[in-house]
Amino acid sequence: MKNLQDIMSVVQHPDFRQALLDDNERSVLYYNRELGFGDLKRSLQDKRDRTPEEVFALCSDFFTEDRIRKIVAEEQACAARNPFYGSSFQPISGEFFGGMVLVSTDQFSAMLLGLDGFEIDMAKRRTPGDRRTLTFGGQHTFLKVYRARDFTLQTWKMDSFVDEDDLAMSGKTYREGTSLDCRPGDTFHFGADEAFEYTSKVGAHALVLQIQMYRHGLPMALEFDVDTRRLVGAASSAQEPTRLQMLATAMRLFGRQDAWEQLERLVAHSSHYVRWHAMREYLGLNLDRAWPLLERMCDEDPHPAVRRAARKTIDHLSDVAPALAAE
């Protein structure tokens, strides 16, 4: 289509909407009935708390090369019939990959990724002064290789940890692991204490199934500076704590003074980073009500980093809210 007039002539055609709906319905039925996605979804609902090994085995058995080929052929056929076709699968993309989410639950996501060595090479090039980091996601990851040409992975490993560990004082670092050559049919399982990067050069390419777990991992994702191997950042490694943190922020942004009970439950959450995030938002929403909990957190929280942060906050706020500090 060369211009807006051409596009409008298509979308305003009386058969356009119905043809689009028919294509979407046909592909959904095809995936659920013919390719077995309906059975897969029912199986996932029947047993929701699988181990990483169980999830990997289930997905590896289901996503055979033949089934992947049929999925790709169906998407191509639908797009050829109608350029406005909306896929049943969520598209995803990054600096050096494109793909789609084949199935996603609160426990894991399975993604089909096309990877290009030239884009990987360009993404990893650095100019003087650029900082590069390596992230350990704290999750189990599984790869199944369908196609690969001159494709490699570099791995790293760190020591495991628990939520109560004081990471800021631990001097935590990581060590280099093996470099892996990927060939069609290969499968890889990376533990929650491992990280990997696609490291291929120009001319390499691969098609892989990547499964990311949201449970049974480490309590946090850690980010390290590549040059010094020092810890420079941390974040939640799971969906639930991240959503709770977002909820606490939303309650503050919307000024929900009626949300104090919910925030106080979050301040008592089992994960230390949820507790501290909720406290920060509570202080921003209602300083008077949050202050006694902040003092208690400073004295009694089981995590040393949270106690330190609470003490620094009290010292800072005592200058701007001396009346509260004196109570």
Side-chain angles (χ1 to χ4, degrees):
M1 298 179 194
K2 297 181 179 179
N3 53 48
L4 181 59
Q5 185 175 1
D6 292 336
I7 296 174
M8 295 305 296
S9 68
V10 172
V11 300
Q12 290 177 347
H13 191 279
D15 296 333
F16 171 77
R17 177 177 173 79
Q18 190 58 50
L20 191 59
L21 292 174
D22 289 345
D23 251 352
N24 286 340
E25 182 178 2
R26 191 186 76 83
S27 65
V28 169
L29 290 175
Y30 174 72
Y31 290 133
N32 285 335
R33 295 178 181 177
E34 301 297 326
L35 293 191
F37 274 81
D39 293 335
L40 175 65
K41 294 171 184 175
R42 284 187 288 272
S43 175
L44 293 171
Q45 290 173 349
D46 291 341
K47 187 179 180 183
R48 299 179 60 85
D49 194 26
R50 287 180 168 84
T51 66
E53 291 76 15
E54 290 174 326
V55 169
F56 301 158
L58 175 69
C59 289
S60 183
D61 290 343
F62 183 81
F63 291 111
T64 61
E65 184 171 343
D66 181 62
R67 185 173 270 115
I68 292 296
R69 188 182 296 111
K70 290 177 179 178
I71 291 171
V72 173
E74 175 67 10
E75 293 296 301
Q76 287 178 323
C78 289
R81 283 193 297 271
N82 193 325
F84 295 94
Y85 163 73
S87 174
S88 302
F89 304 107
Q90 176 189 345
I92 53 175
S93 62
E95 284 185 299
F96 50 81
F97 69 87
M100 54 189 179
V101 179
L102 298 176
V103 61
S104 182
T105 73
D106 61 350
Q107 189 175 358
F108 74 96
S109 287
M111 301 162 283
L112 181 66
L113 303 180
L115 300 143
D116 180 81
F118 173 76
E119 298 294 341
I120 293 173
D121 186 49
M122 292 298 294
K124 295 187 181 303
R125 292 188 180 185
R126 302 166 64 187
T127 57
D130 283 353
R131 182 185 188 184
R132 182 166 171 254
T133 60
L134 174 67
T135 298
F136 286 76
Q139 303 167 335
H140 289 267
T141 304
F142 172 81
L143 299 181
K144 181 176 183 178
V145 182
Y146 298 109
R147 294 282 186 271
R149 175 184 173 186
D150 300 327
F151 210 82
T152 58
L153 297 171
Q154 178 60 51
T155 67
W156 294 271
K157 191 174 179 64
M158 66 176 179
D159 293 331
S160 188
F161 61 94
V162 296
D163 186 72
E164 292 77 17
D165 288 344
D166 191 352
L167 295 178
M169 300 298 179
S170 67
K172 183 170 284 298
T173 185
Y174 64 91
R175 55 194 179 275
E176 190 168 330
T178 57
S179 179
L180 304 172
D181 292 324
C182 299
R183 297 179 177 85
D186 284 348
T187 59
F188 303 99
H189 175 192
F190 299 101
D193 57 353
E194 294 179 289
F196 71 93
E197 283 190 344
Y198 299 108
T199 58
S200 296
K201 302 296 183 181
V202 176
H205 57 78
L207 180 68
V208 302
L209 176 72
Q210 179 170 316
I211 301 169
Q212 205 79 33
M213 292 294 296
Y214 299 133
R215 298 181 186 174
H216 307 291
L218 294 175
M220 302 195 78
L222 302 185
E223 184 179 17
F224 293 87
D225 181 276
V226 168
D227 294 322
T228 64
R229 298 200 177 187
R230 294 179 57 186
L231 180 65
V232 295
S236 170
S237 62
Q239 288 187 342
E240 180 184 357
T242 300
R243 290 170 177 170
L244 292 175
Q245 290 172 284
M246 182 175 65
L247 174 62
T249 300
M251 288 188 286
R252 174 184 61 80
L253 291 174
F254 284 99
R256 293 299 299 265
Q257 296 295 334
D258 59 341
W260 60 271
E261 290 185 1
Q262 289 81 1
L263 281 168
E264 290 182 8
R265 283 202 295 270
L266 292 180
V267 168
H269 194 272
S270 59
S271 296
H272 77 276
Y273 48 90
V274 174
R275 293 197 299 274
W276 179 242
H277 184 90
M279 174 56 72
R280 291 171 56 194
E281 302 298 349
Y282 200 5
L283 290 167
L285 179 67
N286 192 320
L287 182 61
D288 290 341
R289 185 179 287 275
W291 188 268
L293 293 179
L294 178 65
E295 292 181 316
R296 187 185 309 166
M297 180 175 277
C298 176
D299 296 329
E300 302 176 7
D301 194 275
H303 200 286
V306 173
R307 295 196 300 271
R308 284 197 303 272
R311 168 49 57 193
K312 290 180 180 179
T313 302
I314 288 174
D315 292 342
H316 174 72
L317 292 180
S318 295
D319 295 334
V320 297
L324 274 174
E327 289 180 0

